Amino acid sequence: MNIKVVETPGEKEDALYVRTTVFVHEQQVPPELEVDENEQYSVHFVGYENNEPIAAARLRFIGEYGKLERISVLKEHRGKAYGKKMIQKMEEVIADRGYKKSKLNSQTHAENFYKHLGYETVSEAFIDAGIPHITMIKSLDNKAVHN
């Protein structure tokens, strides 16, 4: 998978296609919650395989954290470590911008996936868009970012 930081309107459309497919169509998140007021302040990512968009995410910088959001991989491409690769790319961008911590709100079923990537749970479960989530954080050192 080739992961790009979105630079063109077409790449952003590709990222939104993946996100809409995963969150709106598959998980029944209302479209107005999926695409929100933070889009214009975010760094967007899109992953391609054979020039087709298959993964997407967005990143915002809030306080001392780079916040990973909207991490999504099309259903037929899951189980190939594409989510892990997307997160590693996002962590590289966070570190490149001088931030030392990352944060995310994980759906509770994905908690162990993020734990394997070095994230620590720091909240009780809460509901977002009708789905149980938890907040997780990670300290980014060179080893964590480039492993």
Side-chain angles (χ1 to χ4, degrees):
M1 178 177 67
N2 175 33
I3 301 171
K4 297 188 70 173
V5 173
V6 167
E7 297 178 349
T8 69
E11 290 169 353
K12 187 165 183 187
E13 283 181 30
D14 288 345
L16 290 175
Y17 161 76
V18 173
R19 288 174 42 193
T20 299
T21 300
V22 171
F23 295 118
V24 176
H25 300 301
E26 184 181 331
Q27 297 184 356
Q28 306 301 309
V29 172
E32 63 274 11
L33 295 180
E34 171 49 30
V35 177
D36 63 19
E37 68 279 358
N38 296 312
E39 299 297 330
Q40 62 184 333
Y41 307 111
S42 301
V43 178
H44 296 270
F45 298 79
V46 63
Y48 292 98
E49 185 173 82
N50 300 319
N51 295 317
E52 293 293 322
I54 62 163
R58 80 176 189 193
L59 171 64
R60 291 190 299 139
F61 293 94
I62 302 171
E64 62 184 332
Y65 292 95
K67 186 169 185 247
L68 289 66
E69 300 179 326
R70 309 299 202 268
I71 301 162
S72 49
V73 177
L74 294 180
K75 191 178 223 172
E76 58 271 23
H77 294 281
R78 293 181 195 152
K80 302 176 185 176
Y82 292 161
K84 176 182 178 180
K85 290 176 184 171
M86 181 66 76
I87 290 161
Q88 288 171 332
K89 177 70 171 179
M90 296 173 82
E91 289 173 350
E92 287 174 16
V93 171
I94 292 167
D96 287 348
R97 297 229 182 153
Y99 288 77
K100 301 199 181 318
K101 296 180 184 177
S102 61
K103 180 180 193 176
L104 56 87
N105 291 334
S106 167
Q107 294 181 8
T108 54
H109 71 83
E111 181 177 12
N112 285 333
F113 168 76
Y114 291 108
K115 280 186 176 181
H116 281 90
L117 297 178
Y119 284 82
E120 174 187 349
T121 304
V122 295
S123 79
E124 296 295 320
F126 60 93
I127 301 297
D128 185 13
I131 301 168
H133 285 73
I134 43 143
T135 300
M136 304 182 82
I137 61 171
K138 179 178 179 178
S139 177
L140 300 179
D141 58 23
N142 287 336
K143 181 181 173 204
V145 173
H146 300 291
N147 61 358

